[in-house]
Amino acid sequence: WYQRRVHGVRICPMQGKIMGTCGKPGTYAATVLISPNRAKDLNIVVYERLPSISLMPQVGDVVELEYDKPVANRKLCDIFHGKPAATLQAEGLPMGISINGYGEVTGYPMKTGSFNVLLRLGALVSKRIHFLVREATRDLPDFAAPRIAGDRQARGIRSAV
């Protein structure tokens, strides 16, 4: 059982599950006695409310970025860190892109491609999102339309051919 107890919480010895209701949020140190000669130290985190990741409605299923164009504080998701606060981590982001603890994407995409990203909020909450980095669209200068040979002849201009 426990060497140090967390009020309202117990371990079911048959299943090894932590069960019960703790009345106060926080991180609690506990030592589980596995046998008379073996013990395991644990940190039990009790949240007031579970952390959550909610994607912004305008994001949809795919976050589209343009290669070689900067992204500044683009809101991707709403984060509730819980109490105590959980840390937001992202795995698989495109090179040059980062996400802060408020769900804002910043950076300079350095490679085109398709990226499956896993957002984690502590050990309890995760969400997958897809990033697509495509070639930047280039604005072409506005040139006059080329003239056809008949137009040149109509104006009395000789062709060089």
Side-chain angles (χ1 to χ4, degrees), residues 135-147:
E135 286 291 332
T137 54
R138 307 258 186 239
D139 293 331
L140 296 175
D142 205 9
F143 292 111
R147 298 186 183 271

Side-chain angles (χ1 to χ4, degrees), residues 79-93:
I79 305 294
F80 177 73
H81 292 277
K83 291 182 181 178
T87 303
L88 180 67
Q89 298 173 327
E91 298 171 13
L93 281 169

Side-chain angles (χ1 to χ4, degrees), residues 10-11 26 38 44 51-52 56 65 68 72 78 89 97 108 113 124 128 132 142 148 152 160:
R10 65 183 180 82
I11 292 181
R38 277 185 72 201
I44 298 175
S52 63
M56 301 302 286
L65 304 175
D68 217 22
D78 275 327
Q89 298 173 327
I97 295 294
Y108 201 75
L124 300 174
R128 288 205 172 274
L132 178 63
D142 205 9
I148 56 172
R152 293 172 61 101

Side-chain angles (χ1 to χ4, degrees), residues 14 45 62 108 117 139 158:
M14 299 302 286
V45 180
V62 178
Y108 201 75
V117 177
D139 293 331
R158 286 189 163 195

